[in-house]
Amino acid sequence: MRLAHDGDRDAVERLVQDAYTPWIEVIGMRPLPLEADYAALIADGRVHVTDGLEGLIVLVPEEGVLLVDNVAVRPELHGRGIGRALMAHAEQEARRLGLPALRLYTNVKMTANIALYESLGYRETGRQGIEGRSAVLMRKQLSP
């Protein structure tokens, strides 16, 4: 796992496009990660990628919590543990930054993702509308 650099931008944007385009039909609109400014996120040191760019995770430190803003894995590589490895990396980053918890949100129609996050110890904390989308808010408290 490493931070993405400017030379990774095209590959990062392609990965996000490939990972999220199938969800458009499911949720009826473009998922928010398709609208993100990856040049800015990379410049800010927010995009973490696997060494071979099979997956990425966007992490944003906030007051007392690390936001998992986006997790993307190449669709042909689903089921190989890449998403779980990215989420484990997020926990390591939260601990490194001294943050006691992680939070994320996902579309209510992305039920497979919700199930994955629950299996990793995330719990639903609420639901809210975000830019016309219905989101499930989730949080994981790290053990000391």
Side-chain angles (χ1 to χ4, degrees):
M1 208 72 66
R2 63 177 175 81
L3 283 175
H5 53 76
D6 190 52
D8 294 322
R9 181 175 161 204
D10 287 344
V12 163
E13 289 176 348
R14 249 189 331 276
L15 172 56
V16 171
Q17 188 76 27
D18 292 347
Y20 284 95
T21 295
W23 289 107
I24 294 172
E25 188 174 328
V26 174
I27 66 174
M29 62 181 55
R30 288 170 58 85
L32 288 173
L34 290 173
E35 309 301 330
D37 180 349
Y38 290 95
L41 289 167
I42 290 169
D44 290 344
R46 304 290 184 229
V47 181
H48 302 249
V49 297
T50 59
D51 292 330
L53 287 164
E54 301 89 358
L56 64 81
I57 190 164
V58 177
L59 302 174
V60 181
E62 298 177 333
E63 184 68 35
V65 67
L66 184 62
L67 170 63
V68 177
D69 192 47
N70 174 3
V71 182
V73 175
R74 293 198 171 290
E76 67 273 16
L77 299 177
H78 286 182
R80 296 191 184 176
I82 296 168
R84 288 179 181 276
L86 290 163
M87 295 301 290
H89 177 72
E91 289 186 30
Q92 292 171 350
E93 279 297 294
R95 285 188 172 92
R96 185 183 70 77
L97 295 168
L99 298 171
L102 298 102
R103 76 175 189 92
L104 58 82
Y105 55 91
T106 191
N107 192 286
V108 296
K109 294 182 180 177
M110 294 181 169
T111 54
N113 294 354
I114 294 167
L116 170 65
Y117 300 138
E118 287 176 338
S119 78
L120 296 174
Y122 286 79
R123 297 295 168 247
E124 183 175 331
T125 59
R127 294 183 178 217
Q128 76 179 52
I130 300 175
E131 296 185 34
R133 295 152 177 90
S134 233
V136 175
L137 310 177
M138 303 186 86
R139 181 180 179 97
K140 180 176 184 174
Q141 198 69 31
L142 296 175
S143 52

